[in-house]
């Protein structure tokens, strides 16, 4: 039998390895940013074109590389980070496998310029698909500049799987933010298509968070700090009233490395138990310092998953630390009967000196005087007479008869919801239901449990879910307005100013045209400010933040590529946030209008999310129930 096992060529092996390390442009950004940090850079610049599909360039002022190191850095398993297997359990660098540059060079055109400090000239290397095209000396500043062009040029299938530019840019921004948040002592800048997205100077952790997520973030943060023998925790959690429905602002860092941990996230959620609004998620920026020997990073190519020696201890410490901070800053009540929470010293006042309070005493005050003593410095007039308070009981004569008369006063009752099954059957209310004619009049619809609308039809009755039905009505209305572009706007007397992060504003910009077709009129959109000058006539000014937050929540994963998909997503999101909710009382006119509007829709039987909007119960169904 002939031998069939062969050793793969290096360029094929590199392309296979690249499939694990380089999944999209954001993967390249992450690896190159981490290399720049390991090089000791104090300033890092990221330049991106076409969301990284055309160009990703990282420029740093790190220590640079010699000509030999520059050539060796593109070989597989070539690294300066570790030398033995034991080093894997004492990692103090971002990278350690030596696969990133080799994998990137296998699927892109790479141009490297680097010069170490003290060298007169640097090295310029160009590589295409793992093949070195040129290596020569060049004049370049101290540090490294690495440009990755035409990603996946030699793997068309992988390039076709990439999403739209807006989606890929969001992933690039996410990776940039994670690295920038982990290192506030390094200056970062990011540019996309020659436009500046971020300019983050060196600073402390709070300044870095505010620089990325906007100035309004400052008032939302609650500091968290704790130090134990096995764990040091510091960072911030966001106040419960500012929590969001998305997971966008949840950041865990272990030894300055971003990680994802559902277990630790559950600890934070448990600390917020009972404080978060319905369906809201806690937001946090938490930095954990542990002994490198107690964690294992080498379990996933992206290095975002970590194994801990004692996860249960970390869970308990993290949960109790956040609970303590929420109570310390009066965010949550502290139920401890052994001490008074008001006596706790806030972190900011620990090192401040104690000042003796000044006490003023009115020495002329006599508590046994029948007449109040005059204020200090005031003289009692000579003709002062003590008021006569005899016969005070006469003031209450006649009050008893007035109280008896007030017992006949009637009070307005709660609005009736028309419950069909009230005790003591109301024959007047039940008459239209029992009617065989099935005609629609003012009293022919009823609200059941403030959630369902019951109406009569010729064959029996129809029970409508008011929330899902209203979603269908609004969905078709918004879809029609966006498509036909005949929506009506109401101009605001004063512009409405909202604050969002750069990523969220990029999403809004992507859907700006569709929002304008529904009736929104936008003003200034820059930095972290969104200005709205007009809104659709179907919503109120107070509902605008709710509508936009719901839209951002629905678009958390990705922005639809095609125009119709964007329109459909926008209409569904707005219908979901504006539809009447279960538990709201509707008057007879509102119920009639909703029923008529529903059956005037093209698809009245299902909601935009493919759920039933109504069910019918015929007379035969009722007959079978009573057999």
């Amino acid at each position: 039998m002939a031998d069939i096992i062969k050793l793969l060529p290096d360029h094929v092996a590199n392309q296979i390895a690249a499939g694990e390390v380089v999944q999209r442009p954001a993967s390249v950004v992450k690896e190159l940013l981490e290399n720049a940090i390991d090089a000791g850079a104090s300033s890092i610049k990221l330049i991106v074109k076409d969301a990284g599909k055309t160009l990703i360039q990282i420029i740093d002022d790190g220590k640079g590389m010699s000509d030999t190191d520059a050539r060796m850095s593109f070989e597989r398993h070539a690294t300066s980070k570790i030398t033995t297997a034991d080093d894997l359990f004492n990692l103090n660098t971002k990278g350690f496998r030596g696969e990133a540059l080799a994998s990137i060079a296998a699927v892109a055109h790479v141009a490297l310029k680097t010069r170490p400090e003290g060298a007169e000239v640097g090295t310029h290397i160009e590589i295409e698909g793992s093949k070195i095209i040129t290596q020569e000396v060049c004049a370049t500043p101290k540090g490294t500049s690495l440009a990755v062009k035409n990603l996946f040029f030699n793997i068309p299938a992988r390039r076709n799987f990439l999403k739209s530019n807006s989606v890929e840019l969001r992933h690039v921004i996410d990776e940039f933010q994670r690295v920038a948040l982990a290192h506030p002592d390094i200056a970062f800048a990011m540019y996309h298509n020659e436009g500046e997205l971020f300019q983050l100077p060196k600073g402390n952790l709070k300044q870095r968070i505010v620089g990325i997520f906007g100035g309004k973030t400052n008032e939302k943060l609650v500091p968290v700090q704790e130090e134990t023998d096995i764990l040091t925790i510091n960072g911030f959690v966001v106040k419960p009233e500012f929590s969001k429905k998305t997971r966008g602002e949840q950041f865990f860092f272990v030894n300055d490395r971003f990680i994802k941990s559902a277990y630790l996230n559950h600890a934070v959620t448990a600390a917020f138990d009972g404080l978060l609004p319905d369906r809201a998620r806690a937001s946090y920026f938490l930095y954990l310092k542990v002994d490198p020997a107690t964690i294992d990073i080498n379990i996933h190519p992206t290095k975002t998953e970590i194994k801990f020696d004692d996860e249960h201890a970390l869970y308990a410490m993290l949960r109790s630390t956040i609970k303590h901070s929420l109570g310390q800053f009066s965010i949550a009540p502290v139920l401890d009967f052994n001490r008074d929470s008001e006596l706790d010293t806030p972190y900011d006042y620990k090192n401040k000196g104690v000042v003796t309070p000044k006490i003023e005493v009115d020495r002329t005050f006599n508590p046994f005087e029948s007449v109040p003593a005059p204020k200090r410095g005031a003289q009692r007039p000579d003709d002062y007479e003590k008021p006569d308070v005899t016969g005070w009981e006469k003031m209450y004569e006649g009050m008893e008869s007035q109280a008896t008369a007030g017992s006949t006063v009637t009070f307005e009752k709660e609005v009736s919801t028309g419950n069909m099954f009230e005790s003591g059957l109301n024959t007047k209310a039940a008459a239209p239901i029992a009617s065989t004619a099935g005609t629609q009049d003012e009293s022919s619809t009823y609200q059941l449990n403030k959630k369902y609308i019951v109406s009569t039809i010729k064959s029996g009755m129809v029970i409508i879910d008011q929330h899902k039905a209203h979603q269908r009505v609004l969905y078709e209305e918004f879809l029609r307005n966006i498509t036909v572009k005949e929506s009506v706007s109401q101009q605001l007397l004063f512009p409405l100013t909202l604050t969002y992060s750069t990523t969220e504003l990029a999403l809004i910009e992507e859907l700006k045209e569709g929002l304008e077709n529904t009736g929104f009129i936008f003003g200034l959109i820059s930095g972290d400010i969104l200005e709205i000058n007009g809104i659709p006539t179907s919503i109120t000014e107070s509902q605008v933040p709710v509508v936009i937050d719901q839209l951002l929540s629905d678009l958390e994963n990705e922005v639809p590529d095609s125009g119709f998909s964007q329109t459909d997503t926008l209409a569904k999101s707005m219908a979901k946030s504006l539809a009447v909710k279960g538990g709201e009382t509707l008057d007879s006119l509102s119920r009639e209008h909703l029923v008529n509007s529903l059956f005037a829709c093209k698809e009245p039987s299902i909601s935009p999310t493919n759920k039933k909007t109504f069910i019918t119960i015929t007379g035969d169904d009722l007959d079978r129930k009573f057999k």
Side-chain angles (χ1 to χ4, degrees), residues 295-306:
I295 59 175
D296 184 6
I297 303 171
N298 190 29
I299 61 174
H300 195 275
T302 60
K303 309 185 193 81
T304 56
E305 296 180 15
I306 289 182

Side-chain angles (χ1 to χ4, degrees), residues 244 312 386 418 420 472 604:
K244 298 184 176 180
H312 298 291
K386 184 177 178 181
M420 292 170 52
R472 164 54 64 178

Side-chain angles (χ1 to χ4, degrees), residues 78-97:
T79 180
S80 62
K81 315 295 173 61
I82 62 174
T83 54
T84 65
D86 294 337
D87 293 337
L88 290 173
F89 300 98
N90 190 27
L91 289 172
N92 295 303
T93 58
K94 300 290 185 183
F96 53 87
R97 293 197 184 103

Side-chain angles (χ1 to χ4, degrees), residues 99-121:
E99 292 180 339
L101 289 182
S103 299
I104 293 170
V107 293
H109 298 163
V110 178
L112 170 69
K113 291 183 179 180
T114 182
R115 179 175 72 85
E117 188 174 7
E120 296 182 356
V121 294

Side-chain angles (χ1 to χ4, degrees), residues 359-365 373-379:
I359 302 176
E360 294 184 359
V361 180
D362 186 0
R363 300 186 183 279
T364 63
F365 174 71
K375 295 182 180 179
R376 180 183 298 178
Q379 297 294 328

Side-chain angles (χ1 to χ4, degrees), residues 386-456:
K386 184 177 178 181
D388 184 12
V389 294
T390 58
W392 56 270
E393 63 275 4
K394 294 180 180 180
M395 298 171 58
Y396 297 95
E397 290 181 358
M399 295 293 290
E400 185 176 353
S401 61
Q402 293 180 16
T404 305
S407 61
T408 60
V409 178
T410 58
F411 297 94
E412 184 179 355
K413 296 182 179 179
E414 183 183 357
V415 178
S416 173
T417 58
N419 191 345
M420 292 170 52
F421 307 104
E422 293 176 352
S423 59
L425 188 61
N426 187 335
T427 55
K428 182 178 179 181
I433 292 294
S435 173
T436 57
T439 57
Q440 297 286 340
D441 54 26
E442 289 185 358
S443 60
S444 63
T445 59
Y446 303 90
Q447 194 174 22
L448 180 62
N449 294 337
K450 295 185 179 181
K451 186 177 181 181
Y452 302 104
I453 297 174
V454 182
S455 181
T456 57

Side-chain angles (χ1 to χ4, degrees), residues 1 32-33 103 112 116 119 189 207 274 287 296 328 436 452 526 584:
M1 179 178 177
L32 298 186
L33 285 175
S103 299
L112 170 69
Q207 291 170 337
Y287 296 74
D296 184 6
Q328 189 89 353
T436 57
Y452 302 104
S526 65
E584 295 186 24

